[in-house]
Amino acid sequence: MNFLTIPGLASSGPKHWQTIWEKQYPYLFERVEQDNWDLPVCTAWVEKLQNYVEQLTQPTVLVAHSMGCLTVAHWSQQYYSPLVKGALLVAPADAEYSERLNFVEGFNPIPAKPLPFDSVVVASTNDIYATIERSEYFANTWGSTFLNIGAKGHINASSGFGEWKEGKVILNQFVNMLIEPLQVQCA
């Protein structure tokens, strides 16, 4: 299984768990690079994600953070790839209700339809970009498993997350869940 990371605003700096995972496992992780990390435009971000998905050659899990989660949700309404097996959606930003995101373009309304693949939404009770209730709402409308990890901020470097070992455990459990049904079918 390969992984495609989709960062949020300002990308993920050197101390962000997405960047650390990419450096630790460069043969498994690839990052979607946006042209403008500071002024997100939904159509541009979705098209950039699609460009990367079109190049996939292996089963892949999307690993998104913040605005990257919304990018995945919008992408899934327009595109599909049988190679995208699932998504880990961490700290989805609430572009509809967060005053901190009033400059993002085209992300509203946030899709409220199930994603065409398995997914997990990981959220914090004190995220400055989305309430825990909104994060749970996203999980429910996207058909995702919801995981509340407590008061962990925006689950990024600024919140004290470096390597985020708990996140690796969550990702491994998710991947094992995705692989298990395949093994049963082949037996």
Side-chain angles (χ1 to χ4, degrees):
M1 191 78 64
N2 288 342
F3 304 93
L4 189 59
T5 55
I6 302 101
L9 272 174
S11 189
S12 295
K15 295 182 180 181
H16 193 286
W17 56 268
Q18 283 180 315
T19 305
I20 293 169
W21 293 2
E22 291 164 2
K23 288 181 180 178
Q24 288 175 333
Y25 310 101
Y27 49 92
L28 293 176
F29 283 82
E30 181 179 10
R31 174 181 295 221
V32 172
E33 291 290 350
Q34 298 292 348
D35 292 329
N36 189 335
W37 287 109
D38 298 320
L39 295 171
V41 175
C42 187
T43 55
W45 280 36
V46 166
E47 289 307 311
K48 188 64 79 163
L49 174 55
Q50 175 60 13
N51 292 342
Y52 280 81
V53 170
E54 287 175 341
Q55 303 303 313
L56 296 178
T57 59
Q58 302 287 326
T60 300
V61 171
L62 306 178
V63 180
H65 181 257
S66 191
M67 290 298 296
C69 299
L70 301 188
T71 302
V72 169
H74 281 280
W75 174 85
S76 74
Q77 302 303 304
Q78 300 174 47
Y79 297 105
Y80 172 79
S81 171
L83 291 176
V84 173
K85 299 301 182 185
L88 177 66
L89 305 167
V90 180
D94 189 352
E96 291 177 344
Y97 291 108
S98 176
E99 292 178 13
R100 297 173 186 270
L101 299 172
N102 61 1
F103 60 92
V104 302
E105 183 180 313
F107 287 90
N108 295 329
I110 296 170
K113 295 180 182 176
L115 303 177
F117 39 74
D118 289 324
S119 58
V120 175
V121 169
V122 180
S124 163
T125 58
N126 63 341
D127 189 335
I128 62 172
Y129 291 101
T131 66
I132 194 68
E133 293 81 12
R134 284 291 285 174
S135 295
E136 187 171 14
Y137 166 79
F138 297 146
N140 290 335
T141 61
W142 296 338
S144 306
T145 300
F146 179 67
L147 186 55
N148 175 344
I149 63 169
K152 306 285 182 157
H154 193 48
I155 314 175
N156 60 3
S158 298
S159 302
F161 285 82
E163 181 180 354
W164 193 31
K165 292 180 182 179
E166 180 186 12
K168 286 183 180 179
V169 170
I170 293 166
L171 181 59
N172 280 323
Q173 289 172 341
F174 180 55
V175 168
N176 287 337
M177 186 217 50
L178 293 174
I179 293 172
E180 184 90 12
L182 298 176
Q183 292 174 344
V184 171
Q185 293 173 0
C186 295

